Each structure stands twice: as structure tokens, then as C-alpha cells.
Amino acid sequence: MKIQKLSRIDQSRLEQLCELLQDAVASGASIGFLSPLTKAKAMAYWQQVDQSLTRNRILWVAEAEGQIAGAVQLALSD
């Protein structure tokens, strides 16, 4: 398993993060979304995260065999 800090979310990771979020919500995770979570809503969420990475948010992903297996964010106060 590899842990990596992301400064930007590229297209391939965007797709994987959307799938991760949709799977978490479908599995009952209480993370602020209701099931079923559409790909469009997941995509909009991760695009918003991507825009905030340079200002006040840090994103780490855990990758196994080239696929994102988990993600964690830290939102910094202003």
C-alpha cells in the first residue's frame, strides 16, 4: 500500500475517487451524502475538493496495485 499526498486530482484519480465515494455511500457510510449517490454529484464534490487543495485542504490517498483504496482530507482553518 502506498500513501500519497495530492496537490491536484488528475482525471484518472478523479474517476477512482468518485467510485470510492459512491461505494462508501452505498455501503452506508455516514459522510454527508444520501444513497444512491450519482456520479455527477460525486464528480462535483471531488472537483470542489480539487479547487480547495491549494488553499486550505490537504488530501492523501492510499493506493494498492494502482487503484485508490482510501482517502483522507484535512481542512485547515483560515
Side-chain angles (χ1 to χ4, degrees), residues 21-50:
L21 181 57
Q22 287 179 292
D23 181 59
V25 171
S27 298
S30 178
I31 53 176
F33 295 97
L34 296 175
S35 187
L37 178 63
T38 66
K39 185 172 182 177
K41 285 185 181 181
M43 185 84 61
Y45 171 75
W46 285 114
Q47 288 170 335
Q48 178 185 359
V49 169
D50 183 49

Side-chain angles (χ1 to χ4, degrees), residues 1 5 22 35 37 45 50 52 56 65 72:
M1 179 114 10
K5 178 182 169 186
Q22 287 179 292
S35 187
L37 178 63
Y45 171 75
D50 183 49
S52 68
N56 62 350
E65 299 178 13
V72 64

Side-chain angles (χ1 to χ4, degrees), residues 8-11 14-15 17-18 21 39-53 55 57:
R8 297 288 305 168
I9 300 173
D10 62 32
Q11 188 61 38
L14 180 62
E15 294 290 332
L17 286 166
C18 286
L21 181 57
K39 185 172 182 177
K41 285 185 181 181
M43 185 84 61
Y45 171 75
W46 285 114
Q47 288 170 335
Q48 178 185 359
V49 169
D50 183 49
Q51 291 174 354
S52 68
L53 287 178
R55 294 188 310 273
R57 187 177 307 261

